Amino acid sequence: MAIKDYIPVILGVLKDFRVIATVIAMILIIKFAKFVTTYKKKPPKPKKQKAQNPTPAPKEEKTEEKSEDAESGEE
């Protein structure tokens, strides 16, 4: 058989719906397998810490007032 005789047979095989369906199915399976093997879970987002109340500032003022009172008592 010459190459010209093989061309209609090859085209007949490639145009068959079962071959086309099998090729499409295999492409989807390969893409899914690649997705599964290369999947990396996203790291969780860090939780935001609640803002602290400005309570340390008044405490410092009270200690300063006490030190002023102690100074005035010394004189």
Side-chain angles (χ1 to χ4, degrees):
M1 286 181 83
I3 294 177
K4 289 183 180 181
D5 295 335
Y6 286 119
I7 293 176
V9 174
I10 293 171
L11 289 176
V13 169
L14 292 177
K15 289 181 181 179
D16 188 30
F17 72 93
R18 292 171 289 199
V19 173
I20 294 171
T22 304
V23 169
I24 291 172
M26 290 308 300
I27 289 171
L28 293 175
I29 291 170
I30 291 169
K31 286 189 177 234
F32 180 71
K34 182 180 178 189
F35 170 76
V36 169
T37 57
T38 59
Y39 181 77
K40 289 186 179 178
K41 191 172 185 179
K42 292 181 181 178
K45 293 181 180 178
K47 295 181 181 179
K48 294 182 180 178
Q49 295 179 352
K50 294 181 180 178
Q52 296 179 350
N53 294 332
T55 53
K59 289 181 181 178
E60 292 176 7
E61 292 176 8
K62 290 180 182 178
T63 56
E64 291 175 6
E65 290 176 8
K66 290 180 183 178
S67 62
E68 290 176 7
D69 291 336
E71 290 175 7
S72 60
E74 291 175 2
E75 293 177 12

